[in-house]
Amino acid sequence: MNKTNPKVDAFLSRTKKWQEEFEKLRSIILDCGLIEELKWGVPCYTFQKQNIVLIHGFKEYCAILFVKGALLKDSKHILIQQTENVQAARQVRFTNVHEIVKLKTVLKAYVKEAIEVEKSGVKVNFKKTTEFKTPQEFQNELEKNSALKAAFQALTPGRQRAYLLYFSAPKQSKTRESRIEKHMPQILKGKGLNDA
């Protein structure tokens, strides 16, 4: 097994749920020659300082997440797009260690393919911010408030996308309006959705 990272050792020792599954995924990934790090509070595996795959757990399942999973061939049809708005990453989900053991060879092949994708320099074609739907309620506000429109256009594309996705999410117009109203001061200050 390749060199383990003490930060990931500490993370695993504190993990209550999915510990056995995380350990198994870790050993499979380290067998592929990646560097182990702790990023975003979870084990992350890199090749030449580029993120390839990470391990994370949720209530119902744990998963291995391929950062550029959208570019993998997925010959076994095991990759899952978390939500329709996730553009590059893809998951393989597990609910027990036996599922991981069964897929060990396949997972190694996918990790090696992910490394080759990184080596090739291929990039994921991300949708442009203009391709995201602007909810009508927000469009109305932008049209009647030029300061809001200018402030929104001055935000980075990532911040614009975050707002558009957040404003579009509710099914009811009333909820969308309330979200927009609540966040207009933040947009006017040039801040993103999650900026303090």
Side-chain angles (χ1 to χ4, degrees), residues 1-12:
M1 188 148 104
N2 281 325
K3 194 167 170 271
T4 58
N5 185 312
K7 289 179 182 174
V8 175
D9 291 336
F11 165 84
L12 290 169

Side-chain angles (χ1 to χ4, degrees), residues 18-150:
W18 309 117
Q19 188 169 24
E20 190 183 358
E21 290 80 3
F22 286 170
E23 292 281 2
K24 184 45 103 177
L25 288 168
R26 177 192 206 189
S27 73
I28 290 169
I29 296 166
L30 284 174
D31 273 354
C32 298
L34 294 175
I35 304 295
E36 183 174 70
E37 300 182 40
L38 192 72
K39 293 185 178 184
W40 309 287
V42 297
C44 179
Y45 300 85
T46 63
F47 173 79
Q48 295 179 346
K49 300 195 187 314
Q50 296 300 311
N51 302 325
I52 302 295
V53 68
L54 53 92
I55 298 170
H56 53 172
F58 298 89
K59 199 165 119 182
E60 307 292 328
Y61 63 88
C62 67
I64 179 174
L65 181 121
F66 291 91
V67 176
K68 291 184 178 176
L71 299 176
L72 300 181
K73 291 183 189 87
D74 194 20
S75 57
K76 301 292 182 192
H77 309 289
I78 58 173
L79 295 178
I80 296 168
Q81 185 177 1
Q82 283 171 279
T83 69
E84 65 182 51
N85 297 317
V86 173
Q87 296 183 59
R90 296 293 183 271
Q91 287 180 331
V92 182
R93 296 177 179 174
F94 305 98
T95 55
N96 62 61
V97 78
H98 304 294
E99 293 172 349
I100 297 168
V101 171
K102 229 167 63 178
L103 276 179
K104 180 180 176 179
T105 309
V106 173
L107 290 175
K108 279 188 176 186
Y110 274 52
V111 171
K112 288 180 177 155
E113 184 187 349
I115 294 168
E116 291 307 313
V117 163
E118 194 54 53
K119 282 182 186 175
S120 76
V122 178
K123 302 272 185 238
V124 174
N125 287 324
F126 290 101
K127 277 172 43 177
K128 291 180 176 56
T129 303
T130 52
E131 294 176 60
F132 284 85
K133 187 175 165 281
T134 302
Q136 192 57 51
E137 298 83 355
F138 188 50
Q139 189 60 48
N140 295 344
E141 289 297 331
L142 292 174
E143 286 169 11
K144 67 183 184 192
N145 184 337
S146 59
L148 179 67
K149 186 175 184 175

